[in-house]
Amino acid sequence: MKKKIYFLMTALMLSFVAFTSNAATSDDNGKNYKEFYANKTAEERNARVEEIKTRVEEIKAMDKSHLNKAERKELKAELKDLKKEANAASTGGGVYLSVGAIIIIILVLILIL
């Protein structure tokens, strides 16, 4: 009976690990920021994050009342792209665990110990 539980728990854990997503690090244009920032040093990433912050502040300070619909849409798309890039640059890669995966790991550790 214990072997069945271990097998099921292992299969469940592997199913959580096997299906990962790069949705947050790749934009619609096919740019993969995660791969781009993997080869950068921490100083280069921090410098780029500061550039992004400066650009976002410039956009926020703009007078958008005189912009037409297409220009506003373009600014919004730029902000989304900058947000994705900043997230990829600031994290520098890493492992993320969902709450469900953490609970399963804890349960397996309890069963083993």
Side-chain angles (χ1 to χ4, degrees):
M1 182 69 179
K2 250 187 172 181
K3 285 186 179 183
K4 283 184 180 180
I5 292 174
Y6 287 139
F7 177 74
L8 288 174
M9 294 300 285
T10 305
L12 193 57
M13 281 178 46
L14 289 175
S15 68
F16 280 116
V17 174
F19 301 107
T20 59
S21 174
N22 286 331
T25 60
S26 178
D27 70 358
D28 296 336
N29 298 329
K31 296 177 187 171
N32 193 338
Y33 295 120
K34 192 175 200 179
E35 290 176 7
F36 178 74
Y37 284 107
N39 301 327
K40 302 290 182 182
T41 64
E43 292 137 4
E44 291 172 331
R45 282 183 277 162
N46 290 339
R48 181 60 185 149
V49 168
E50 289 303 318
E51 291 174 8
I52 291 171
K53 285 180 183 178
T54 304
R55 178 62 183 145
V56 169
E57 291 302 319
E58 289 173 0
I59 292 174
K60 285 183 178 180
M62 277 182 167
D63 180 22
K64 298 174 195 81
S65 63
H66 66 281
L67 298 176
N68 62 24
K69 188 174 182 178
E71 291 170 335
R72 283 191 303 254
K73 190 174 183 180
E74 187 177 313
L75 270 179
K76 187 176 180 181
E78 182 182 357
L79 283 171
K80 283 183 180 180
D81 191 43
L82 288 173
K83 181 179 179 182
K84 288 178 185 178
E85 186 177 355
N87 285 339
S90 64
T91 59
V95 177
Y96 298 99
L97 293 174
S98 67
V99 174
I102 292 172
I103 291 171
I104 290 173
I105 291 170
I106 291 171
L107 288 174
V108 168
L109 288 174
I110 291 171
L111 287 174
I112 292 173
L113 302 173

